[in-house]
Amino acid sequence: MEKLTIGIVGFGVIGQRWTACFAHAGHAVRVFDPTERREAAFNEVLPALMADLDALKGSSPSPGEIHLFPTLAETLQGVDFVQENGPEDLALKRR
């Protein structure tokens, strides 16, 4: 399977789960969210998320790396795919 670089925009509950899923599949994941302290919350739930994915799909021999970036522009550099996870607010999504 080809390894991709995935951009995650929005790192709330859904974005965190997408991040774990892509990393579990071995893809590099670049994350952006304007809210502070999402990384600490994610680090607390990541072991349980990976354990759930292991139970569903088997262990990942080499999970992809996860990196958080302070800006959207930095996050999206070199990505192959973007998973947007913002609130269902059209004006916000357009910005």
Side-chain angles (χ1 to χ4, degrees), residues 18 24 34 70 74 81:
W18 275 117
H24 187 270
E74 289 174 274
F81 177 80

Side-chain angles (χ1 to χ4, degrees), residues 78-95:
V79 301
D80 299 298
F81 177 80
V82 176
Q83 175 63 51
E84 178 272 318
N85 308 291
E88 295 307 315
D89 176 339
L90 187 56
L92 174 66
K93 289 179 188 273
R94 286 182 173 157
R95 282 194 307 271

Side-chain angles (χ1 to χ4, degrees), residues 1-60:
M1 175 179 75
E2 179 183 358
K3 301 299 179 186
L4 302 173
T5 300
I6 308 296
I8 298 289
V9 178
F11 200 48
V13 172
I14 293 170
Q16 291 175 6
R17 273 113 187 111
W18 275 117
T19 296
C21 185
F22 286 124
H24 187 270
H27 302 294
V29 184
R30 299 171 65 93
V31 178
F32 171 75
D33 191 286
T35 306
E36 293 182 21
R37 294 189 277 289
R38 295 264 195 204
E39 186 172 10
F42 178 66
N43 288 334
E44 289 179 19
V45 299
L46 182 58
L49 294 175
M50 291 302 222
D52 288 348
L53 289 164
D54 285 346
L56 290 171
K57 296 187 71 179
S59 295
S60 177

Side-chain angles (χ1 to χ4, degrees), residues 60-77:
S60 177
S62 57
E65 292 185 12
I66 300 168
H67 297 283
L68 280 75
F69 292 88
T71 68
L72 183 58
E74 289 174 274
T75 302
L76 300 182
Q77 288 179 358

